[in-house]
Structure formats: C-alpha cells, structure tokens
Amino acid sequence: MKHLKTLVMMQLRNKIDFSWANTKMNIFRTFLFCFLKFAIITAITYVILYLCQYIGIFYYSESPRIMILVVTFSLFLSLITCTKDLMLNLYFAEDNKVLITFPVNSNVLFLSKLIVFYLYEIKRSLSFLIPITLGSVILLVSKGCASPFAFLWMWLPLLMIIAIPVLLGAILSIPVMYVYKFLKRYSILQVILFGVILSFVIIVIIQLINLIPEKIDLINQWPTIKKWLYQFLVNIEQKLPPMRFLIRIIVGEQASIDSDCVINIMTVLKFGLLIVVNSSLLVFVYLLARPLFFSIMAKNFETNKSRQVTHKNVRHSKYFAFVNKELKINLRTISISINYLMVYIVVPILILLLNALYGAMDLKYLGEILIFTFNILIICLPLLASNALVATYYSREGKAGYLKKVKPIYALYPLFTKLFFNLVLSIPTVFVTVVIFGKSVGFNALYIVILGFAILFLHYGHMIYSALLDVMNPQNEQYDSTGVVSDNPNENKSTILAFILSFVYAIIAFILFNESGIQYGNYLSACCRLLLISLLYCVSCTILFIKKIKAYYYEGQ
Amino acid sequence: MKKSVVLTISIIYILAIVVVGFLGIALKVYNEKVYVESIVCVTEGYEEIVNDEHCDGQIIAKKNQEIVIKCQVKPDNATNPMLRFDYDHDEVGRLFEIVENGDGTCTIKMLDAGAAYITIVPTDRNSNISLTIKVYCKPDIGGII
C-alpha cells in the first residue's frame, strides 16, 4: 500500500504541475482560480438550462433528459481520450523505463498507473462533467423537481461514473494499441485511414447540406422545431437505457416525466449495482491488461529494436537543415499532422455548412451583420484554438530542446522554422474559408482578399504568442519523463487567449461592419480596419517574440 | 484540441445559427390580407371608355341578348377576389334583367333599348375601387326607315 501511494504521488507530480504549492499565497490563489472556474462553468450551465426552459425549449421536469444527452456526449469523448491516453501511458510512456526498475510488484505498478489516470480524469471532469451536472441539479432543486439531498448525494455516483471511461478505456486500449503499432509500422496506412475518415466526414457534411430546407424561419417554424427537439430527447432516453440508469442514480427516481426526482432505496440499489459493474470492469482490466502491460513494458525496455533505415547523409545549408528537420518532424508526428490537417480541412467545411444554413434564412440588416460576425468568430475559434499545439512545440523536444542554445545559428531561426509549416499551411485554409464565406454573403474579391489577410495575420499573431508562451515557460522536463503532458499550462493559456481574441475580434467586426454599412453603404472600411487591427497585433507579437528570444537566449547569459 | 474546446466550439456553432435565426430574421406579416387593387372586365365586346364620368367602359348589347359580364381582380393573389354587382333596381324587369351567377359573374339581358349601368365592387371593402359598365342596347330604328 505504501509503495502504491509513493508510486501514485510520484507519477502525479509528473502529470500535474504542483509548482504552485510552494507558498500559502500560491496555494490560495490556485484554489481560488479553480473554484472560480468551476463556479463560472456551473453558473453558465444553469443560465443556459434556465433560458432554454424559460423560452420553452423544454420543461424543468425534462432536465434529466438533457443530462442524459450531455453526460453521454461527455463520457463518449472521455472514452476516446482515455483510450488514447491510457494506451500511450500504459504501453508507450517514457517513464515505464524507470518504473520497471523500481523494487515493486508489477501489479502495484499497473494499479498505480490506473489510479493516477483516474485521479487525473477526476481533475479533468472538474472543468466539464461535474459542473454541468451540478448546474443541472441546482436547476432541478431550485424548481422543486428534486430533493436538496441531491446536492450531497450526486458526488458519490459521479466518482463512480468518471471511473467508467477509465476502465473501459483500459480495456479498449489493448486493441487500439495493436492498431496503433500496426499503423506505425506501415505509415502509408495512416495516410489511407486518414483519407477515408476525411472523405467520410466530407460526405456526411455534404449530405447535411443537402438536407437543409429551402427556407429556414426559426420563429415561425418554432412549434415544429420544438416538437422535433422533444422527440429527439425522448429517442435519446429510450435508445440509451444505461445512460438513463446513470442519471437516475445522480438525480433520483422519477415515477413519471411530470413527477419529482426522489432519491430512495431504489437509487441506492442502483448505485450499488454501479459499484459492482465498476468492480467487475476493474477485475476484467486487471486480468486482461495487466499481463500485457508488463510484457510490453519489459519488451519495449529490454528487447525493443528500432528499425534503422540508413540514408545517405546529405549536407544541407544550415538554414535549410532546420526546415528539412521540421518537415520530417511534422510529417512523422501523427498527432501534429492530423491535428493541423483536421483543423485546416474542417474549418472550411464548417463555414460551408454554416453559410448554407444562413442562405436558407430571409434576413434583415442586423441579420446580415450577425452573419459576418459569426462567420469571423467560427473561422477564428478553431483556427486560433489549434495554436494550443504550438504552445507545446518547443517543450515536445524534451531535453534536446536545450541544444538550441549551442547551435551555431541565431536562435530565432530554428525557433521560427518550428512554426514554418503551420504558417504556410494556414494560408490556403484561411483563404479558401474566406472565399466560401465571402461568396455566400456576396462580398467582392477585394473584400475577400482583405478579410483573408486580416484573419491570417490574427492567426499568425496568436501562433507566435503561443510559441512565446512555450519559450517563456518550458515544459521540457514533463515531456521528457512521460512523453505526454495532458494539462500543459501554456496550452491552457493559449486556448483561453484564442477564445478571448476570437470573441473580441468578432465584436469589433460587428461594430465596424455595422458602422461601415450604415455610413458608407459598403464594407470596405470595416475590412480595412480589421486588417489594420490584425496587422498591428501580429507585428506586436512578432516584436515581443524577437525581444524575448533575445533576452532569453542571449542577454540572460 | 481538448474535449472542452471542441464542445465549446460546437455550442458556439449552434448558438451562431440560433442567434441569427431569431435576431436576424426579417419580420414578415403572415396571413397578410391582400386587397383588390383594380377590376378588369374580360367580357367579349367590352370597350373601355376614357373621360366618361358615368362609366369606365361599355358593352353593346342587342335586345333580349344575354351577356355574361365577367371580371377579374388584380392582383391575382387578392385574399378576397369576390365581386358584388350594383345596379338600379327600379330598372330591373323594365329595362333589363340581371342574374348574379354566384361565381363572380352575372348575366344581363336587355329587355328594351337604353343603357343599364352595372357597378362592380370588390367585397373586401377596400377604399372605393369599382368598375362601372354601361350595357347599351340601341333602339330598334329599322321600322322608321
């Protein structure tokens, strides 16, 4: 038990940044920030649900149905991330090489890995599943549809529910690991698989676009839409009895849809059944995954042979050498290439679908301005949020990252070449997306070009700032020990900034387009001013990046 | 991209459709009443008369000839395209006979020489749109010659 605790604490320190636990002030600040974040998400959930019920999308008593939908979606996404992360953590983690040398039972080692992952999953749930559930329960209790005891009770089932994707992920990680190894062996299959998935996504989107009716009028079609939503929620509830079972454990039993939720003996029995199911899953995981974990872990450590393919050593110029290196890293790191390809392909498709929907609406002037605003917001959000990966670029190099300081070249060059492919690949995406948007709203070529550059410069500015975050707060040690950092603070900051920037930029766009339309009858002035704002942001980020690199790499020495 | 980021973007995407659908949609008046703006006579032999304060057009009829007065309303999508026929009731049975057919037409038969004035008005009671048709029956002068 003592060994297990030590192992868990040790791995947790690698997985979660505890640098804030130095002083009481830092601890207080961190807890306050976490509490505020939790409270805000809960409040947002409550407000959204309250508004939905206020405008009559559904009734208070139907909240459990919404919870079924949200929890299903959340657990499904958790299952995907848990399967992937557990596969990497159990079978391919760098720290396995160290852990295997410890004088502990392999069973304890395996359990410690699962416990660490479970604790980490609880931490992750604090930013989504738990506050959303709490928000829903608050609404139910405040409307008298559930007993206040649900506030105290809900935490117990939630702890068990969070364990489900971890345990299922541990089981699924076995076949996924074989597929992963197979795909890694034959890289062409990765490309083919990606192509197939992408084609499927495109076909689905085209089918969706074809399904869009000729005229959409949400106000007048509202009774039909409401009926459809109601039927959809009922279908979800009927088709997913296990999820209904889980939600009943959280909020209590409901005799009929109009009656209140009551936590009774049946709820406790169901909770007991959930514990039994989880325990069975744990035993299954232990019997199935543990032997494999130990054999693969030992195999990787002791007998792993890397397939060395020798190529003729070609001497490149010192500048091209870095570009060549980054090209190979980008192509070989499947997580990076897929992330970018997905974002760069998905964004134009999203905009195409959005504008196809808007095209079916008969809009007034405010509607037109809102379309411009939301198009800009929806283009910027995924594009800028994808830059979170940039905030890990330099840290991903692990200890090799520090070699930059001794390379016989100005440090800015290798740092910038890391961004090179992202900078280049984003150009066609941004312009294709803006062309789709521009053509849908009837913009001429000049507007499209100006807006394209405006969004491109905003993207570049955020990308450079994200890279700067990584330079100023490197996570090389964490990447070096585990190979994966799931809660990188730079990634989080980059994502938050992406959201703030996108919203602020969209609000500015709304004001400028509205003003320009009223004053001049066209949108040239708005497009030009948006370009100017983006350009200023990009230039200031670049100057900041250059200055900080200078200070960090040269003046500090 | 993290799960929470994907979810948030999905929610914003749906909100983008809902917000534009509710706030940006052009308001339309449904079940709008389309009034009759003009009446056009399509009866064969109808001639338009300009600058006559008593009528807008005339139809020349022979004695005892039955003429079906048929009119159309403009616009075509008028909510209530029904028409009413007004005439001098004192002349009925003496100068002419008239039967309203119930399908927006009426049949008139001139019993004697003279002019019968039929005023056609829409039943939607919009402003004072009307069409007055003079059905004229020439006196029989063959015997005098």
Side-chain angles (χ1 to χ4, degrees):
Chain A
M1 200 64 190
K2 195 182 160 193
H3 284 153
L4 184 66
K5 192 187 164 192
T6 314
L7 275 172
V8 168
M9 291 310 290
M10 203 178 74
Q11 289 174 75
L12 266 182
R13 274 184 71 84
N14 279 337
K15 211 163 170 60
I16 301 168
D17 180 20
F18 284 109
S19 58
W20 47 267
N22 295 336
T23 61
K24 280 183 182 174
M25 192 60 197
N26 275 348
I27 294 171
F28 174 73
R29 203 180 296 159
T30 309
F31 272 100
L32 185 70
F33 175 74
C34 289
F35 177 75
L36 278 177
K37 188 178 151 193
F38 184 83
I40 289 168
I41 300 169
T42 309
I44 289 172
T45 308
Y46 177 82
V47 169
I48 290 175
L49 286 176
Y50 180 82
L51 284 177
C52 284
Q53 297 181 347
Y54 186 76
I55 61 173
I57 295 178
F58 52 84
Y59 299 110
Y60 297 113
S61 53
E62 285 171 1
S63 292
R65 282 183 180 149
I66 306 292
M67 284 174 76
I68 290 174
L69 185 68
V70 174
V71 172
T72 306
F73 193 51
S74 170
L75 289 184
F76 176 70
L77 289 182
S78 287
L79 184 64
I80 294 171
T81 46
C82 282
T83 307
K84 188 195 122 206
D85 289 356
L86 269 168
M87 178 198 71
L88 294 173
N89 268 287
L90 285 175
Y91 309 115
F92 301 103
E94 290 296 315
D95 61 355
N96 281 354
K97 291 169 188 172
V98 180
L99 293 173
I100 201 170
T101 61
F102 286 4
V104 287
N105 189 326
S106 62
N107 299 344
V108 176
L109 205 60
F110 178 72
L111 280 177
S112 74
K113 283 249 174 192
L114 277 186
I115 292 170
V116 168
F117 208 83
Y118 174 57
L119 292 175
Y120 185 69
E121 193 58 24
I122 292 176
K123 182 184 172 284
R124 276 206 296 208
S125 300
L126 282 171
S127 59
F128 187 72
L129 181 65
I130 299 176
I132 283 181
T133 311
L134 182 62
S136 309
V137 171
I138 290 174
L139 187 79
L140 278 172
V141 172
S142 64
K143 294 292 167 191
C145 297
S147 132
F149 179 63
F151 283 129
L152 295 172
W153 169 257
M154 59 168 265
W155 305 97
L156 283 174
L158 272 177
L159 286 177
M160 284 291 129
I161 289 169
I162 291 165
I164 295 172
V166 177
L167 293 167
L168 284 177
I171 296 168
L172 290 174
S173 67
I174 299 168
V176 171
M177 181 263 298
Y178 283 114
V179 172
Y180 179 78
K181 279 176 91 171
F182 181 73
L183 288 176
K184 256 197 137 176
R185 202 181 180 91
Y186 305 101
S187 50
I188 187 73
L189 284 177
Q190 287 180 28
V191 180
I192 293 170
L193 186 70
F194 178 74
V196 169
I197 294 170
L198 189 70
S199 311
F200 177 73
V201 170
I202 292 172
I203 289 168
V204 169
I205 299 281
I206 291 169
Q207 292 292 331
L208 279 176
I209 291 173
N210 288 337
L211 283 177
I212 295 171
E214 277 181 27
K215 282 276 167 203
I216 295 178
D217 187 345
L218 287 186
I219 296 170
N220 286 290
Q221 292 168 340
W222 185 239
T224 319
I225 295 168
K226 200 178 153 183
K227 201 175 162 187
W228 182 86
L229 278 174
Y230 175 79
Q231 201 52 49
F232 174 72
L233 289 175
V234 171
N235 284 344
I236 290 282
E237 191 185 18
Q238 284 172 350
K239 298 257 165 71
L240 298 168
M243 297 311 297
R244 190 173 55 195
F245 174 81
L246 293 179
I247 298 302
R248 288 280 157 250
I249 299 174
I250 297 172
V251 296
E253 294 300 314
Q254 210 174 6
S256 70
I257 192 64
D258 300 323
S259 59
D260 295 345
C261 302
V262 184
I263 295 164
N264 53 22
I265 190 74
M266 187 52 101
T267 318
V268 179
L269 282 174
K270 281 184 176 175
F271 178 57
L273 188 60
L274 178 64
I275 294 173
V276 171
V277 169
N278 275 2
S279 308
S280 313
L281 277 175
L282 184 63
V283 171
F284 194 61
V285 168
Y286 183 78
L287 293 173
L288 202 73
R290 190 201 61 88
L292 193 73
F293 162 69
F294 192 70
S295 86
I296 286 179
M297 195 172 141
K299 199 176 168 187
N300 276 350
F301 177 53
E302 289 164 359
T303 58
N304 199 15
K305 287 179 188 171
S306 58
R307 290 183 303 134
Q308 297 263 331
V309 183
T310 49
H311 291 289
K312 197 183 169 191
N313 196 10
V314 183
R315 186 176 170 174
H316 296 294
S317 77
K318 61 182 178 183
Y319 296 106
F320 182 70
F322 286 105
V323 177
N324 190 36
K325 177 194 145 203
E326 293 311 326
L327 174 69
K328 283 175 181 168
I329 289 175
N330 274 278
L331 286 177
R332 287 174 186 175
T333 317
I334 195 78
S335 62
I336 294 178
S337 44
I338 284 190
N339 181 73
Y340 281 123
L341 280 173
M342 282 305 277
V343 170
Y344 291 152
I345 293 165
V346 163
V347 173
I349 295 172
L350 280 179
I351 291 299
L352 185 69
L353 181 63
L354 186 71
N355 284 293
L357 283 163
Y358 285 153
M361 295 178 186
D362 189 9
L363 300 165
K364 56 183 175 184
Y365 178 71
L366 175 68
E368 277 179 31
I369 303 296
L370 281 173
I371 283 184
F372 303 157
T373 309
F374 279 117
N375 266 290
I376 287 174
L377 182 67
I378 301 292
I379 296 171
C380 289
L381 271 177
L383 212 58
L384 301 196
S386 73
N387 286 335
L389 199 66
V390 175
T392 68
Y393 264 5
Y394 305 127
S395 298
R396 275 171 189 270
E397 291 186 332
K399 280 181 183 156
Y402 297 117
L403 290 174
K404 267 192 221 73
K405 287 200 173 191
V406 294
K407 281 174 184 165
I409 194 165
Y410 187 49
L412 200 63
Y413 188 77
L415 289 172
F416 251 120
T417 43
K418 274 252 171 241
L419 312 178
F420 180 73
F421 289 97
N422 199 5
L423 291 169
V424 172
L425 284 173
S426 53
I427 298 172
T429 303
V430 169
F431 278 96
V432 166
T433 313
V434 176
V435 165
I436 294 170
F437 156 48
K439 288 284 170 198
S440 310
V441 297
F443 277 177
N444 62 32
L446 181 66
Y447 291 3
I448 291 172
V449 170
I450 296 172
L451 260 183
F453 276 110
I455 292 171
L456 194 68
F457 284 132
L458 187 78
H459 178 51
Y460 282 178
H462 182 256
M463 193 192 300
I464 292 165
Y465 191 81
S466 301
L468 184 63
L469 285 172
D470 196 25
V471 173
M472 300 317 294
N473 183 19
Q475 304 291 313
N476 299 56
E477 291 292 333
Q478 280 87 337
Y479 276 101
D480 209 49
S481 55
T482 56
V484 188
V485 178
S486 306
D487 199 25
N488 188 332
N490 301 325
E491 240 183 313
N492 295 345
K493 280 180 199 165
S494 170
T495 308
I496 292 168
L497 184 71
F499 273 79
I500 295 172
L501 258 181
S502 304
F503 272 100
V504 170
Y505 198 70
I507 292 167
I508 293 172
F510 177 82
I511 296 165
L512 293 180
F513 275 118
N514 188 29
E515 199 181 279
S516 187
I518 290 170
Q519 279 186 359
Y520 310 109
N522 62 53
Y523 303 110
L524 186 62
S525 150
C527 293
C528 290
R529 281 192 274 180
L530 282 173
L531 176 63
L532 189 69
I533 292 166
S534 306
L535 197 61
L536 281 174
Y537 175 70
C538 183
V539 169
S540 55
C541 284
T542 312
I543 292 170
L544 195 69
F545 187 75
I546 294 167
K547 281 192 178 294
K548 294 246 180 178
I549 294 301
K550 236 178 183 176
Y552 189 75
Y553 279 84
Y554 298 103
E555 287 165 13
Q557 288 174 353
Chain B
M1 229 184 267
K2 286 185 176 179
K3 179 178 77 177
S4 50
V5 175
V6 174
L7 272 171
T8 315
I9 294 176
S10 313
I11 292 168
I12 293 168
Y13 193 83
I14 295 167
L15 275 177
I17 299 161
V18 175
V19 169
V20 173
F22 277 104
L23 298 180
I25 215 107
L27 290 176
K28 279 185 206 162
V29 179
Y30 279 82
N31 299 322
E32 185 185 13
K33 193 161 187 177
V34 180
Y35 290 106
V36 174
E37 288 170 8
S38 63
I39 301 165
V40 180
C41 181
V42 289
T43 307
E44 204 177 324
Y46 173 78
E47 296 163 10
E48 207 170 297
I49 299 172
V50 189
N51 297 329
D52 188 328
E53 58 181 28
H54 300 295
C55 64
D56 301 295
Q58 71 167 5
I59 299 168
I60 306 292
K62 290 176 185 161
K63 197 173 170 183
N64 294 324
Q65 181 192 357
E66 284 187 349
I67 294 171
V68 177
I69 296 177
K70 194 176 177 186
C71 291
Q72 281 179 352
V73 294
K74 296 282 174 189
D76 296 335
N77 61 340
T79 310
N80 183 1
M82 295 305 287
L83 298 168
R84 194 181 74 235
F85 297 87
D86 286 349
Y87 42 84
D88 185 353
H89 288 265
D90 295 339
E91 301 279 2
V92 177
R94 195 174 58 83
L95 180 63
F96 62 91
E97 276 178 354
I98 189 162
V99 178
E100 287 191 43
N101 301 323
D103 58 353
T105 64
C106 73
T107 306
I108 186 167
K109 187 164 105 177
M110 295 302 288
L111 301 174
D112 204 353
Y117 290 90
I118 315 291
T119 302
I120 303 149
V121 285
T123 55
D124 64 10
R125 298 180 185 187
N126 179 41
S127 64
N128 46 7
I129 290 165
S130 65
L131 179 81
T132 304
I133 299 172
K134 179 171 85 174
V135 182
Y136 180 60
C137 178
K138 287 179 183 173
D140 189 3
I141 50 170
I144 298 170
I145 297 167

